[in-house]
Amino acid sequence: MEIAPQEVDVLNKRVLVTGGSGFLGSHLCEQLLAQGSEVLCVDNFFTGRRQNITHLLENKSFELLRHDITFPLYVEVDEVYNLACPASPVHYQFDPVQTTKTSVMGAINMLGLAKRLKIKILQASTSEVYGDPEIHPQPESYRGNVNPIGPRACYDEGKRCAETLFFDYYRQHNVKIKVIRIFNTYGPRMHPNDGRVVSNFIVQALRNQNITIYGDGRQTRSFCYVDDLIHGMIAMMRSDDALTGPVNLGNPSEFTIRELAEKVIALTNSRSSIDYRPLPQDDPMQRKPIIDLAQQKLGWSPTIHLDEGLIKTIDYFESLLKTY
Protein backbone atom coordinates (compact mmCIF):
# COMPACT_ATOMS: atom_id res chain seq x y z
CA MET A 1 0.00 0.00 0.00
CA GLU A 2 1.62 3.25 -1.15
CA ILE A 3 1.13 6.43 0.82
CA ALA A 4 1.33 9.95 -0.56
CA PRO A 5 3.93 12.20 1.15
CA GLN A 6 1.35 14.83 2.08
CA GLU A 7 -0.57 12.22 4.11
CA VAL A 8 2.29 11.42 6.48
CA ASP A 9 1.58 14.29 8.90
CA VAL A 10 -2.02 13.13 9.21
CA LEU A 11 -0.88 9.61 10.02
CA ASN A 12 1.81 10.62 12.53
CA LYS A 13 -0.06 9.25 15.53
CA ARG A 14 0.90 7.28 18.60
CA VAL A 15 -0.77 3.93 18.05
CA LEU A 16 -1.24 1.12 20.57
CA VAL A 17 -1.14 -2.42 19.15
CA THR A 18 -2.07 -5.14 21.64
CA GLY A 19 -0.69 -8.54 20.70
CA GLY A 20 1.91 -6.58 18.75
CA SER A 21 4.63 -9.24 18.80
CA GLY A 22 2.36 -11.91 17.35
CA PHE A 23 2.04 -13.00 13.73
CA LEU A 24 -0.43 -10.33 12.63
CA GLY A 25 0.57 -7.78 15.24
CA SER A 26 4.21 -7.64 14.20
CA HIS A 27 3.28 -7.05 10.56
CA LEU A 28 0.84 -4.33 11.63
CA CYS A 29 3.49 -2.60 13.78
CA GLU A 30 5.93 -2.72 10.87
CA GLN A 31 3.43 -1.20 8.41
CA LEU A 32 2.30 1.54 10.82
CA LEU A 33 5.93 2.56 11.40
CA ALA A 34 6.56 2.62 7.66
CA GLN A 35 3.61 4.99 7.28
CA GLY A 36 4.85 7.50 9.86
CA SER A 37 3.14 6.48 13.10
CA GLU A 38 4.70 5.97 16.51
CA VAL A 39 3.87 2.48 17.77
CA LEU A 40 3.44 1.18 21.31
CA CYS A 41 3.56 -2.63 21.05
CA VAL A 42 1.96 -4.40 24.02
CA ASP A 43 2.26 -8.16 24.48
CA ASN A 44 2.50 -10.69 27.32
CA PHE A 45 4.43 -13.12 25.06
CA PHE A 46 2.09 -16.05 25.64
CA THR A 47 2.07 -16.73 21.91
CA GLY A 48 3.82 -13.62 20.60
CA ARG A 49 7.55 -13.92 20.00
CA ARG A 50 10.23 -11.32 20.59
CA GLN A 51 12.04 -12.31 17.38
CA ASN A 52 9.01 -11.09 15.42
CA ILE A 53 9.73 -7.50 16.45
CA THR A 54 13.49 -7.60 17.16
CA HIS A 55 14.19 -5.71 13.92
CA LEU A 56 11.93 -2.87 15.13
CA LEU A 57 13.55 -2.33 18.54
CA GLU A 58 16.14 0.17 17.30
CA ASN A 59 13.45 2.30 15.65
CA LYS A 60 12.97 5.42 17.80
CA SER A 61 9.27 5.45 16.93
CA PHE A 62 8.76 1.94 18.35
CA GLU A 63 8.23 1.04 22.00
CA LEU A 64 7.70 -2.41 23.51
CA LEU A 65 5.76 -2.98 26.74
CA ARG A 66 5.26 -6.38 28.35
CA HIS A 67 1.74 -6.41 29.71
CA ASP A 68 -1.32 -8.68 29.98
CA ILE A 69 -4.43 -6.78 28.85
CA THR A 70 -6.64 -8.68 31.28
CA PHE A 71 -5.26 -6.01 33.63
CA PRO A 72 -5.92 -2.30 33.05
CA LEU A 73 -3.39 -0.29 31.06
CA TYR A 74 -2.84 3.42 31.58
CA VAL A 75 -1.09 4.98 28.59
CA GLU A 76 -1.61 7.98 26.33
CA VAL A 77 -2.22 7.06 22.67
CA ASP A 78 -4.25 8.25 19.68
CA GLU A 79 -5.60 4.91 18.42
CA VAL A 80 -5.87 1.30 19.57
CA TYR A 81 -5.67 -1.89 17.51
CA ASN A 82 -6.80 -4.72 19.80
CA LEU A 83 -5.25 -7.94 18.46
CA ALA A 84 -4.30 -9.64 21.74
CA CYS A 85 -5.58 -13.23 22.00
CA PRO A 86 -4.18 -16.65 21.12
CA ALA A 87 -5.70 -17.49 17.73
CA SER A 88 -4.86 -21.12 16.96
CA PRO A 89 -6.67 -24.09 18.54
CA VAL A 90 -3.44 -25.49 20.01
CA HIS A 91 -2.79 -22.24 21.85
CA TYR A 92 -6.27 -21.07 22.79
CA GLN A 93 -7.26 -24.52 24.11
CA PHE A 94 -4.11 -24.75 26.25
CA ASP A 95 -5.63 -22.38 28.82
CA PRO A 96 -9.24 -21.86 27.76
CA VAL A 97 -10.19 -19.78 30.80
CA GLN A 98 -7.35 -17.35 30.09
CA THR A 99 -8.38 -17.23 26.43
CA THR A 100 -11.90 -16.14 27.37
CA LYS A 101 -10.54 -13.63 29.90
CA THR A 102 -8.23 -12.14 27.25
CA SER A 103 -11.12 -11.66 24.81
CA VAL A 104 -13.65 -10.36 27.34
CA MET A 105 -11.69 -8.60 30.09
CA GLY A 106 -9.13 -7.45 27.53
CA ALA A 107 -11.91 -5.85 25.49
CA ILE A 108 -13.33 -4.14 28.59
CA ASN A 109 -9.92 -2.74 29.52
CA MET A 110 -9.08 -1.51 26.03
CA LEU A 111 -12.54 -0.04 25.52
CA GLY A 112 -12.19 1.71 28.87
CA LEU A 113 -8.92 3.20 27.66
CA ALA A 114 -10.52 4.35 24.41
CA LYS A 115 -13.45 5.83 26.32
CA ARG A 116 -11.17 7.79 28.66
CA LEU A 117 -9.02 9.12 25.83
CA LYS A 118 -11.95 9.62 23.40
CA ILE A 119 -10.08 7.74 20.67
CA LYS A 120 -10.83 5.19 17.98
CA ILE A 121 -10.38 1.48 18.70
CA LEU A 122 -10.34 -1.49 16.31
CA GLN A 123 -11.24 -5.01 17.37
CA ALA A 124 -9.62 -7.90 15.52
CA SER A 125 -12.52 -10.31 15.61
CA THR A 126 -12.61 -13.56 13.68
CA SER A 127 -14.52 -15.67 11.21
CA GLU A 128 -14.84 -18.15 14.08
CA VAL A 129 -17.83 -16.11 15.28
CA TYR A 130 -19.70 -17.85 12.43
CA GLY A 131 -18.88 -21.28 13.91
CA ASP A 132 -19.60 -24.22 11.59
CA PRO A 133 -21.71 -22.13 9.21
CA GLU A 134 -25.06 -23.22 7.84
CA ILE A 135 -24.87 -20.38 5.29
CA HIS A 136 -22.12 -20.41 2.67
CA PRO A 137 -20.32 -18.16 1.93
CA GLN A 138 -20.63 -16.02 5.05
CA PRO A 139 -21.94 -12.42 5.00
CA GLU A 140 -21.57 -10.11 7.99
CA SER A 141 -25.32 -10.40 8.61
CA TYR A 142 -25.03 -14.14 9.38
CA ARG A 143 -25.29 -14.73 13.15
CA GLY A 144 -23.41 -17.97 13.20
CA ASN A 145 -23.70 -21.58 14.38
CA VAL A 146 -21.49 -21.84 17.45
CA ASN A 147 -21.41 -24.52 20.14
CA PRO A 148 -21.21 -22.49 23.40
CA ILE A 149 -19.94 -25.43 25.48
CA GLY A 150 -17.50 -27.08 23.06
CA PRO A 151 -13.68 -27.06 23.21
CA ARG A 152 -13.50 -24.16 20.73
CA ALA A 153 -16.01 -22.01 22.62
CA CYS A 154 -13.38 -20.21 24.71
CA TYR A 155 -12.23 -18.53 21.52
CA ASP A 156 -15.44 -18.45 19.46
CA GLU A 157 -17.67 -17.17 22.25
CA GLY A 158 -14.95 -14.98 23.72
CA LYS A 159 -14.68 -13.13 20.41
CA ARG A 160 -18.47 -12.96 20.07
CA CYS A 161 -18.72 -11.43 23.54
CA ALA A 162 -15.96 -8.95 22.67
CA GLU A 163 -18.00 -7.81 19.67
CA THR A 164 -21.00 -7.36 21.98
CA LEU A 165 -18.93 -5.20 24.31
CA PHE A 166 -17.64 -3.08 21.44
CA PHE A 167 -21.12 -2.29 20.20
CA ASP A 168 -22.43 -1.66 23.71
CA TYR A 169 -19.60 0.82 24.37
CA TYR A 170 -20.45 2.42 21.02
CA ARG A 171 -24.14 2.75 21.85
CA GLN A 172 -23.81 3.57 25.56
CA HIS A 173 -20.58 5.63 25.66
CA ASN A 174 -20.16 6.84 22.05
CA VAL A 175 -16.78 5.13 21.73
CA LYS A 176 -15.52 5.19 18.14
CA ILE A 177 -15.28 1.51 17.23
CA LYS A 178 -14.14 -0.54 14.26
CA VAL A 179 -14.79 -4.30 14.13
CA ILE A 180 -13.26 -6.61 11.53
CA ARG A 181 -13.75 -10.36 11.18
CA ILE A 182 -10.51 -11.96 10.02
CA PHE A 183 -10.65 -15.11 7.91
CA ASN A 184 -7.75 -17.59 7.57
CA THR A 185 -4.55 -15.57 7.17
CA TYR A 186 -1.06 -16.90 6.56
CA GLY A 187 2.47 -15.70 5.87
CA PRO A 188 5.91 -15.19 7.40
CA ARG A 189 6.14 -15.11 11.22
CA MET A 190 3.44 -17.71 11.76
CA HIS A 191 4.39 -19.83 14.75
CA PRO A 192 5.78 -23.17 13.48
CA ASN A 193 3.92 -25.10 16.20
CA ASP A 194 0.62 -23.23 16.23
CA GLY A 195 -1.35 -26.11 14.74
CA ARG A 196 -2.80 -24.00 11.92
CA VAL A 197 -3.21 -25.72 8.61
CA VAL A 198 -0.77 -23.66 6.49
CA SER A 199 2.09 -23.72 8.99
CA ASN A 200 1.44 -27.40 9.79
CA PHE A 201 1.54 -28.44 6.15
CA ILE A 202 4.63 -26.39 5.29
CA VAL A 203 6.66 -27.58 8.30
CA GLN A 204 5.69 -31.22 7.71
CA ALA A 205 6.47 -30.97 3.99
CA LEU A 206 9.87 -29.34 4.54
CA ARG A 207 10.73 -32.15 6.96
CA ASN A 208 9.38 -34.78 4.52
CA GLN A 209 6.95 -35.94 7.20
CA ASN A 210 3.45 -37.15 6.42
CA ILE A 211 1.05 -34.23 6.06
CA THR A 212 -1.77 -34.53 8.58
CA ILE A 213 -5.29 -33.87 7.30
CA TYR A 214 -8.13 -34.03 9.80
CA GLY A 215 -11.26 -35.36 8.14
CA ASP A 216 -11.45 -36.38 4.48
CA GLY A 217 -9.78 -33.22 3.15
CA ARG A 218 -12.90 -31.99 1.39
CA GLN A 219 -13.59 -29.26 3.94
CA THR A 220 -12.83 -25.83 2.51
CA ARG A 221 -10.99 -22.69 3.61
CA SER A 222 -10.07 -19.38 1.99
CA PHE A 223 -6.53 -18.17 2.61
CA CYS A 224 -5.54 -14.50 2.77
CA TYR A 225 -1.87 -13.46 2.65
CA VAL A 226 -0.82 -11.34 5.63
CA ASP A 227 0.13 -8.21 3.64
CA ASP A 228 -3.35 -8.05 2.13
CA LEU A 229 -4.96 -8.46 5.53
CA ILE A 230 -2.88 -5.71 7.16
CA HIS A 231 -3.74 -3.27 4.37
CA GLY A 232 -7.43 -4.02 4.94
CA MET A 233 -7.08 -3.58 8.68
CA ILE A 234 -5.46 -0.15 8.34
CA ALA A 235 -8.00 0.89 5.72
CA MET A 236 -10.78 0.00 8.17
CA MET A 237 -9.22 2.06 10.96
CA ARG A 238 -8.91 5.07 8.66
CA SER A 239 -12.40 4.80 7.22
CA ASP A 240 -15.24 7.18 8.09
CA ASP A 241 -16.33 6.95 11.74
CA ALA A 242 -19.82 5.94 10.60
CA LEU A 243 -18.43 2.58 9.41
CA THR A 244 -18.31 0.57 12.63
CA GLY A 245 -18.45 -2.87 11.04
CA PRO A 246 -18.34 -5.73 11.45
CA VAL A 247 -16.52 -6.07 8.14
CA ASN A 248 -15.22 -9.37 6.76
CA LEU A 249 -11.55 -9.34 5.73
CA GLY A 250 -10.35 -12.42 3.90
CA ASN A 251 -9.73 -13.93 0.51
CA PRO A 252 -12.88 -15.32 -1.15
CA SER A 253 -10.88 -17.80 -3.26
CA GLU A 254 -11.87 -21.17 -1.82
CA PHE A 255 -9.73 -24.33 -1.66
CA THR A 256 -10.21 -27.75 -0.12
CA ILE A 257 -7.73 -28.76 2.55
CA ARG A 258 -6.53 -31.56 0.28
CA GLU A 259 -5.85 -29.06 -2.52
CA LEU A 260 -3.79 -26.98 -0.09
CA ALA A 261 -1.77 -30.04 0.95
CA GLU A 262 -1.09 -30.95 -2.68
CA LYS A 263 0.04 -27.38 -3.44
CA VAL A 264 2.43 -27.36 -0.49
CA ILE A 265 3.91 -30.73 -1.44
CA ALA A 266 4.46 -29.54 -5.02
CA LEU A 267 5.95 -26.15 -4.05
CA THR A 268 8.37 -27.71 -1.54
CA ASN A 269 9.30 -30.73 -3.74
CA SER A 270 8.51 -32.80 -0.69
CA ARG A 271 8.43 -36.57 -0.40
CA SER A 272 5.52 -36.30 2.07
CA SER A 273 2.37 -38.34 1.72
CA ILE A 274 -1.00 -37.54 3.30
CA ASP A 275 -2.13 -38.99 6.63
CA TYR A 276 -5.89 -38.74 7.27
CA ARG A 277 -7.11 -38.50 10.88
CA PRO A 278 -10.50 -37.95 12.57
CA LEU A 279 -11.97 -34.44 12.37
CA PRO A 280 -11.87 -32.57 15.72
CA GLN A 281 -15.13 -31.60 17.40
CA ASP A 282 -16.84 -28.48 15.97
CA ASP A 283 -14.22 -27.98 13.25
CA PRO A 284 -15.97 -25.99 10.48
CA MET A 285 -16.59 -27.77 7.18
CA GLN A 286 -16.75 -24.56 5.13
CA ARG A 287 -15.24 -21.12 5.54
CA LYS A 288 -15.41 -18.41 2.88
CA PRO A 289 -16.07 -14.68 3.29
CA ILE A 290 -18.36 -12.42 1.35
CA ILE A 291 -16.25 -9.24 1.10
CA ASP A 292 -18.69 -6.95 -0.75
CA LEU A 293 -18.73 -4.52 2.19
CA ALA A 294 -14.93 -4.24 2.32
CA GLN A 295 -14.80 -3.74 -1.44
CA GLN A 296 -17.49 -1.07 -1.43
CA LYS A 297 -16.62 0.85 1.74
CA LEU A 298 -12.84 0.39 1.94
CA GLY A 299 -11.93 -0.13 -1.71
CA TRP A 300 -10.15 -3.26 -0.47
CA SER A 301 -9.68 -6.63 -2.10
CA PRO A 302 -6.87 -9.18 -1.65
CA THR A 303 -4.32 -9.14 -4.47
CA ILE A 304 -1.86 -11.93 -3.63
CA HIS A 305 -2.66 -15.36 -5.11
CA LEU A 306 -2.30 -18.43 -2.91
CA ASP A 307 0.70 -19.83 -4.83
CA GLU A 308 2.59 -16.53 -4.53
CA GLY A 309 1.87 -16.24 -0.83
CA LEU A 310 2.78 -19.87 -0.16
CA ILE A 311 6.17 -19.43 -1.82
CA LYS A 312 6.96 -16.47 0.44
CA THR A 313 5.77 -18.39 3.49
CA ILE A 314 7.76 -21.50 2.55
CA ASP A 315 10.91 -19.38 2.16
CA TYR A 316 10.37 -18.03 5.68
CA PHE A 317 9.92 -21.47 7.21
CA GLU A 318 12.93 -22.86 5.37
CA SER A 319 15.10 -20.18 6.98
CA LEU A 320 13.43 -20.63 10.37
CA LEU A 321 13.85 -24.41 10.47
CA LYS A 322 17.59 -24.08 9.88
CA THR A 323 17.85 -22.45 13.32
CA TYR A 324 15.96 -25.26 15.11
Side-chain angles (χ1 to χ4, degrees), residues 89 92-93 128 131-133 145 147 150-152 156 184 195-197 213-221 257 277-287:
Y92 67 63
Q93 292 176 15
E128 297 297 335
D132 188 5
N145 176 39
N147 177 3
R152 302 170 66 99
D156 301 358
N184 292 65
R196 292 193 240 196
V197 64
I213 288 182
Y214 295 95
D216 60 11
R218 289 185 293 177
Q219 63 268 42
T220 65
R221 296 292 185 271
I257 297 300
R277 297 186 185 180
L279 192 68
Q281 181 181 345
D282 299 328
D283 194 58
M285 288 303 296
Q286 295 175 305
R287 187 59 56 75

Side-chain angles (χ1 to χ4, degrees), residues 128-139:
E128 297 297 335
V129 300
Y130 298 122
D132 188 5
E134 296 171 327
I135 294 176
H136 188 74
Q138 293 81 56

Side-chain angles (χ1 to χ4, degrees), residues 80-124:
V80 179
Y81 287 82
N82 186 37
L83 276 63
C85 189
S88 72
V90 168
H91 291 145
Y92 67 63
Q93 292 176 15
F94 175 78
D95 189 345
V97 172
Q98 183 64 24
T99 296
T100 303
K101 287 171 66 176
T102 300
S103 287
V104 177
M105 295 175 64
I108 291 171
N109 288 329
M110 292 303 103
L111 284 162
L113 177 66
K115 176 189 171 187
R116 176 177 70 84
L117 297 176
K118 296 180 172 60
I119 61 174
K120 197 181 301 184
I121 180 169
L122 180 144
Q123 168 67 2

Side-chain angles (χ1 to χ4, degrees), residues 34-265:
Q35 295 186 0
S37 295
E38 294 182 9
V39 174
L40 173 58
C41 169
V42 169
D43 209 298
N44 68 351
F45 294 104
F46 175 64
T47 57
R49 296 187 297 165
R50 190 175 294 271
Q51 56 262 47
N52 286 342
I53 45 88
T54 299
H55 64 295
L56 303 177
L57 294 174
E58 293 184 1
N59 189 321
K60 293 180 180 179
S61 296
F62 181 78
E63 182 180 354
L64 174 62
L65 174 64
R66 186 166 192 151
H67 180 81
D68 185 334
I69 66 163
T70 61
F71 298 94
L73 179 62
Y74 301 100
V75 293
E76 303 298 319
V77 294
D78 300 309
E79 288 179 346
V80 179
Y81 287 82
N82 186 37
L83 276 63
C85 189
S88 72
V90 168
H91 291 145
Y92 67 63
Q93 292 176 15
F94 175 78
D95 189 345
V97 172
Q98 183 64 24
T99 296
T100 303
K101 287 171 66 176
T102 300
S103 287
V104 177
M105 295 175 64
I108 291 171
N109 288 329
M110 292 303 103
L111 284 162
L113 177 66
K115 176 189 171 187
R116 176 177 70 84
L117 297 176
K118 296 180 172 60
I119 61 174
K120 197 181 301 184
I121 180 169
L122 180 144
Q123 168 67 2
S125 190
T126 172
S127 61
E128 297 297 335
V129 300
Y130 298 122
D132 188 5
E134 296 171 327
I135 294 176
H136 188 74
Q138 293 81 56
E140 290 88 352
S141 59
Y142 178 50
R143 296 182 182 179
N145 176 39
V146 176
N147 177 3
I149 60 172
R152 302 170 66 99
C154 57
Y155 184 68
D156 301 358
E157 296 288 26
K159 289 288 191 177
R160 286 164 68 93
C161 185
E163 287 194 16
T164 300
L165 287 162
F166 265 70
F167 279 90
D168 283 339
Y169 267 77
Y170 168 70
R171 287 184 288 257
Q172 186 173 343
H173 300 299
N174 297 312
V175 174
K176 298 176 183 178
I177 65 165
K178 301 285 183 180
V179 177
I180 58 172
R181 291 174 176 166
I182 299 172
F183 283 67
N184 292 65
T185 304
Y186 70 100
R189 299 184 202 146
M190 294 184 81
H191 197 294
N193 300 317
D194 67 3
R196 292 193 240 196
V197 64
V198 173
S199 50
N200 261 11
F201 286 5
I202 290 175
V203 170
Q204 289 172 334
L206 288 173
R207 290 174 170 167
N208 291 306
Q209 299 171 342
N210 285 349
I211 288 184
T212 306
I213 288 182
Y214 295 95
D216 60 11
R218 289 185 293 177
Q219 63 268 42
T220 65
R221 296 292 185 271
S222 53
F223 301 100
C224 184
Y225 188 67
V226 61
D227 289 357
D228 282 334
L229 188 281
I230 296 302
H231 291 162
M233 189 182 295
I234 294 174
M236 180 63 176
M237 178 63 96
R238 294 177 184 160
S239 64
D240 187 274
D241 289 350
L243 180 62
T244 59
V247 173
N248 287 341
L249 292 182
N251 193 322
S253 298
E254 190 175 15
F255 297 88
T256 68
I257 297 300
R258 182 179 177 89
E259 284 176 318
L260 175 67
E262 291 169 347
K263 277 183 178 291
V264 169
I265 290 172

